[in-house]
Amino acid sequence: MLEKTTRMNYLYDFYHSLLTPKQRSYMSLYYLDDFSLGEIAEEYEVSRQAVYDNIKRTEAMLEEYEAKLLLFEKFQQRQDILKKLSDLLKTQPFATEQGNHLISELEKLD
Amino acid sequence: MLEKTTRMNYLYDFYHSLLTPKQRSYMSLYYLDDFSLGEIAEEYEVSRQAVYDNIKRTEAMLEEYEAKLLLFEKFQQRQDILKKLSDLLKTQPFATEQGNHLISELEKLD
């Protein structure tokens, strides 16, 4: 199990386009910029509890999207396979450069 | 531009988990099983217009999800790159079998 912050960062990365602007703001301040709940509450002139509730609901939504679409899980599986492909290509002197270029193109798509 | 039915089949494949059970039923009868609107209406004892409206709304939702998450677009890009990787591996006698196995693993994840 990944540390929760790391997991939330990944899930946010995959699914932030499905969140509302307010959810995106709170989540990115809390998880990416490391603001406290109190600091976010002050910034938006709402209660600390309101920020907390919103973030908890958003975390649950991100987990629901992941349960349905598995984008993060597939990303991890793909990374494992690409690592093996990359190792394989290292053993092929004439294909290594070209192969690595294709693999980096695949990684950009994740 | 893909033919609409083909595109809807792909979008349904990627995003059906985000639809309601009723949306899934109508869409899969209409697009996968080639039922007419009238046949679906009869099956569910609703008006033809109700089925039509539901399907139109669902199509729009699928396009919205694709605009946000780009799963189908990335799938197509990934397929293009995997084809190139596969061609490259064909030129490497000692890596072909192992490489093709890895590529087929990647394709299963799409």
Side-chain angles (χ1 to χ4, degrees), chain B residues 10-108:
Chain B
Y10 272 109
L11 294 185
Y12 182 79
D13 214 37
F14 284 108
Y15 301 111
H16 65 90
S17 65
L18 301 176
L19 302 177
T20 67
K22 189 168 82 174
Q23 286 176 319
R24 277 204 288 271
S25 300
Y26 288 5
M27 288 297 280
S28 81
L29 288 172
Y30 190 68
Y31 278 112
L32 309 181
D33 302 330
D34 206 29
F35 275 46
S36 70
L37 293 173
E39 287 167 332
I40 300 171
E42 202 170 319
E43 182 79 15
Y44 283 85
E45 299 179 340
V46 295
S47 70
R48 191 183 170 287
Q49 185 66 37
V51 175
Y52 176 83
D53 290 345
N54 188 289
I55 287 175
K56 285 294 135 191
R57 272 197 306 276
T58 307
E59 288 173 358
M61 278 182 66
L62 292 176
E63 290 290 358
E64 273 176 54
Y65 283 128
E66 175 62 9
K68 288 176 176 169
L69 295 172
L70 302 173
L71 299 187
F72 179 41
E73 186 177 319
K74 287 181 183 175
F75 162 78
Q76 291 174 296
Q77 291 173 352
R78 212 177 272 128
Q79 291 301 107
D80 287 348
I81 297 169
L82 289 175
K83 175 72 175 62
K84 287 180 198 156
L85 253 178
S86 169
D87 289 344
L88 173 65
L89 284 165
K90 279 188 198 125
T91 69
Q92 308 297 311
F94 302 114
T96 306
E97 194 186 343
Q98 203 180 343
N100 284 338
H101 174 70
L102 293 168
I103 288 174
S104 79
E105 292 294 303
L106 282 172
E107 284 173 340
K108 272 188 236 150

Side-chain angles (χ1 to χ4, degrees), chain A residues 4 18 20 22 27 31 41 43 45 57 60 62 66-67 74 81-82 86 98 101-102 104-105 107 110:
Chain A
K4 184 171 172 195
L18 301 176
T20 66
K22 189 168 82 174
M27 288 296 280
Y31 279 110
E43 181 80 14
E45 299 179 338
R57 272 197 307 275
L62 292 177
E66 175 63 9
K74 287 181 184 176
I81 298 170
L82 288 175
S86 169
Q98 203 180 342
H101 174 70
L102 292 169
S104 78
E105 292 294 303
E107 284 173 340
D110 279 325

Side-chain angles (χ1 to χ4, degrees), chain A residues 36-51:
Chain A
S36 70
L37 294 173
E39 287 168 332
I40 300 170
E42 202 170 320
E43 181 80 14
Y44 282 86
E45 299 179 338
V46 295
S47 70
R48 191 183 169 289
Q49 186 66 38
V51 174

